């Protein structure tokens, strides 16, 4: 249960470290598995817990975040938990207002329109003051997990956050945000740098609070081509990995494995493999063998079953998982979906996916 805030010290001993071992490239008896958006609306208990509360109010309640993070682990033998939160808490920490509009999704009341609007943002963010509620949720959840599995912390990457801050919400073309990259490259870099600095402190704070791995979501990488990615996304992705690791060392905190998930960035796999992350997450549009060939043996891969495969009958899910494991190989690999779970998915099919990964990977490892 998620009660009683304890200090970040004296965490329960970890019982299942398969996910962390795979992330570090060590041998595992079975392939670990978790799902992006595993704490989510496809679970009736999630909808029940969330029903009475505004979305971002839920994010600010350590107790509710803890409860939502633990729900999928009560149902499925997942190998990792990921803290329930949202990538848009970072723009909020910079002073922007974001509301969750039913049927539309996250919406910024005043998106950035002109370069001058950058002056409205907080130039120095005290992450403990602005995002301490996430740190409390992590500490509370880490205790409440009782060492069952490791806890993953996360953040959005600078370009993805910038695109939301300018578009004001979701967008099919990202034309407003991309126009900044072409029209205002210097101002774009200023904004991306500001975001990167906050993200670095935020991720270090998550480890201090008890996160045992970190994932960086570059969800909007697919809107950039190779050139724009090279100029406006990759340098910050690299910098975050490097700076987080050096700060963790400086502060005598555990140097935890880091995952980069850049959706639809198949053009950048080689660069991502060398960006300083232990794990590269893949979306479902990438062939496992090709990813392995481009990324090499020194980095763990994570992914990449098409989330829509979970609409298939359970036997079919088992076949698809077996094929995926044969393509990736069972080692230096973390099974996941190629994007998050959808709200109308059947929890039993999620269970079938998790169990198939464990069963087939054990079988392949034995033989």
């Amino acid at each position: 249960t998620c009660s009683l805030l304890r200090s970040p010290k004296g965490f329960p001993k970890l019982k299942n470290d398969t996910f962390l071992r795979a992330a570090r490239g060590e041998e595992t008896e079975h392939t670990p598995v978790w799902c992006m958006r595993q704490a989510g609306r496809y679970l009736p208990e999630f909808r029940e817990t969330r029903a009475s509360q505004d979305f971002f109010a839920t994010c600010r309640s350590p107790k509710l975040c803890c409860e939502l993070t633990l729900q999928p682990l009560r149902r499925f033998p997942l190998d990792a938990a990921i803290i329930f939160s949202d990538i848009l808490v970072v723009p909020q920490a910079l002073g922007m207002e974001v509301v969750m509009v039913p049927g539309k999704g996250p919406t910024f009341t005043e998106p950035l329109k002109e370069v001058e609007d950058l002056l409205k943002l907080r130039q120095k963010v005290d992450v403990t003051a602005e995002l301490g509620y996430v740190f409390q949720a992590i500490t509370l959840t880490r205790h409440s997990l009782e060492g069952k599995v490791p806890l993953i912390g996360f953040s959005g990457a600078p370009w993805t956050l910038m695109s939301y801050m300018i578009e004001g919400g979701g967008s099919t073309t990202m034309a407003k945000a991309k126009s900044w990259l072409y029209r205002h490259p210097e101002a774009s870099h200023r904004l991306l740098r500001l975001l990167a600095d906050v993200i670095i402190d935020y991720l270090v704070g998550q480890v201090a609070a008890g996160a045992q791995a970190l994932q960086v979501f570059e969800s909007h990488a697919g809107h950039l081509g190779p050139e724009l990615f090279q100029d406006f996304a990759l340098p910050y992705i690299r910098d975050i990995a490097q700076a987080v690791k050096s700060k963790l060392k400086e502060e005598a905190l555990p140097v935890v494995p880091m995952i980069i998930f850049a959706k639809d960035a198949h053009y950048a796999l080689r660069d991502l493999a060398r960006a300083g992350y232990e794990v590269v997450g893949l979306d479902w549009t990438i062939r496992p063998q090709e990813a392995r060939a481009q990324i090499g043996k020194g980095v763990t891969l994570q992914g990449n079953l098409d989330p829509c495969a979970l609409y298939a009958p359970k036997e079919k899910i088992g076949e698809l998982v077996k094929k995926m494991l044969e393509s990736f190989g069972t080692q230096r690999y973390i099974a996941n979906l190629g994007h998050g779970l959808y709200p109308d998915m059947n929890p039993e099919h999620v269970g079938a996916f998790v169990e198939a990964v464990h069963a087939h990977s054990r079988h392949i490892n034995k033989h």
Side-chain angles (χ1 to χ4, degrees):
T1 58
C2 302
S3 61
L4 190 81
L5 264 184
R6 283 161 282 192
S7 77
K9 299 284 167 280
F11 286 127
K13 190 172 167 358
L14 184 58
K15 298 172 190 138
N16 170 6
D17 66 348
T18 314
F19 163 80
L20 295 177
R21 291 215 316 277
R24 293 192 295 256
E26 296 163 19
E27 206 171 312
T28 60
E29 279 168 34
H30 67 266
T31 297
V33 54
W34 67 280
C35 298
M36 290 186 269
R37 298 220 179 105
Q38 65 190 25
R41 288 172 296 174
Y42 72 101
L43 291 175
E45 58 269 36
F46 177 96
R47 293 196 294 272
E48 214 170 286
T49 307
R50 277 267 305 107
S52 59
Q53 275 265 11
D54 163 72
F55 178 80
F56 285 108
T58 304
C59 290
R60 285 188 286 273
S61 160
K63 220 171 152 173
L64 286 176
C65 290
C66 174
E67 167 58 25
L68 294 170
T69 302
L70 294 182
Q71 282 175 352
L73 293 153
R74 294 189 190 119
R75 277 186 183 248
F76 315 118
L78 294 152
D79 293 289
I82 183 164
I83 194 66
F84 177 81
S85 186
D86 194 87
I87 63 171
L88 299 181
V89 299
V90 170
Q92 287 177 334
L94 288 167
M96 294 188 81
E97 192 189 2
V98 192
V99 291
M100 197 55 84
V101 178
K104 190 182 167 207
T107 306
F108 286 74
T109 48
E110 290 182 48
L112 304 174
K113 288 196 167 70
E114 301 304 327
V115 170
E116 298 76 63
D117 294 342
L118 294 181
L119 299 172
K120 296 181 196 166
L121 300 174
R122 278 192 193 105
Q123 302 303 306
K124 268 273 166 258
V125 175
D126 174 347
V127 291
T128 308
E130 300 300 330
L131 296 165
Y133 59 88
V134 180
F135 302 156
Q136 288 176 329
I138 287 172
T139 302
L140 182 57
T141 306
R142 176 83 189 269
H143 281 294
S144 306
L145 275 166
E146 295 176 332
K148 194 173 175 178
V149 293
L151 179 60
I152 304 169
F154 71 90
S155 172
W159 153 250
T160 295
L161 296 179
M162 170 182 170
S163 62
Y164 272 115
M165 290 159 76
I166 294 171
E167 297 289 341
S171 156
T172 49
T173 60
M174 296 291 161
K176 287 179 192 157
K178 285 177 74 177
S179 85
W180 271 54
L181 305 180
Y182 285 109
R183 286 166 42 226
H184 313 302
E186 288 81 12
S188 295
H189 279 299
R190 234 177 24 246
L191 174 54
L192 292 162
R193 181 72 263 162
L194 176 63
L195 284 161
D197 290 342
V198 176
I199 290 162
I200 289 160
D201 288 346
Y202 180 43
L203 290 171
V204 171
Q206 291 186 47
V207 176
Q212 290 153 291
L214 297 168
Q215 177 153 314
V216 175
F217 285 89
E218 188 71 280
S219 312
H220 295 169
H223 292 278
L224 303 176
E227 269 87 39
L228 287 180
F229 187 84
Q230 197 77 40
D231 288 347
F232 294 101
L234 188 64
Y236 299 99
I237 286 171
R238 276 195 193 120
D239 189 46
I240 287 166
Q242 202 180 344
V244 166
K245 286 177 179 176
S246 72
K247 286 197 172 193
L248 290 174
K249 281 194 189 104
E250 265 165 47
E251 294 179 28
L253 289 165
V255 180
V256 303
M258 293 179 72
I259 308 165
I260 177 67
F261 176 63
K263 188 172 178 290
D264 295 324
H266 13 74
Y267 55 80
L269 289 181
R270 280 197 169 83
D271 288 325
L272 290 167
R274 293 196 291 263
Y277 293 77
E278 285 69 25
V279 184
V280 172
L282 304 169
D283 64 71
W284 72 91
T285 65
I286 299 168
R287 287 193 176 89
Q289 292 95 331
E290 283 177 25
R292 189 65 87 182
Q294 288 192 50
I295 284 171
K297 297 258 191 305
V299 175
T300 294
L301 298 181
Q302 174 177 286
N304 77 340
L305 190 73
D306 180 356
C308 289
L310 298 190
Y311 294 123
K314 288 188 204 168
E315 310 70 66
K316 178 71 177 161
I317 294 171
E319 287 164 31
L320 292 167
V321 165
K322 181 169 180 277
K323 196 175 153 202
M324 179 172 83
L325 285 160
E326 286 164 352
S327 303
F328 276 108
T330 58
Q331 300 297 322
R332 259 217 181 274
Y333 173 54
I334 297 160
N336 205 317
L337 303 173
H339 199 228
L341 287 158
Y342 301 152
D344 63 347
M345 286 179 164
N346 182 341
E348 287 184 17
H349 288 222
V350 178
F353 167 67
V354 173
E355 276 150 29
V357 171
H358 286 162
H360 288 299
S361 61
R362 281 203 171 97
H363 182 81
I364 293 169
N365 285 343
K366 278 206 184 89
H367 299 87

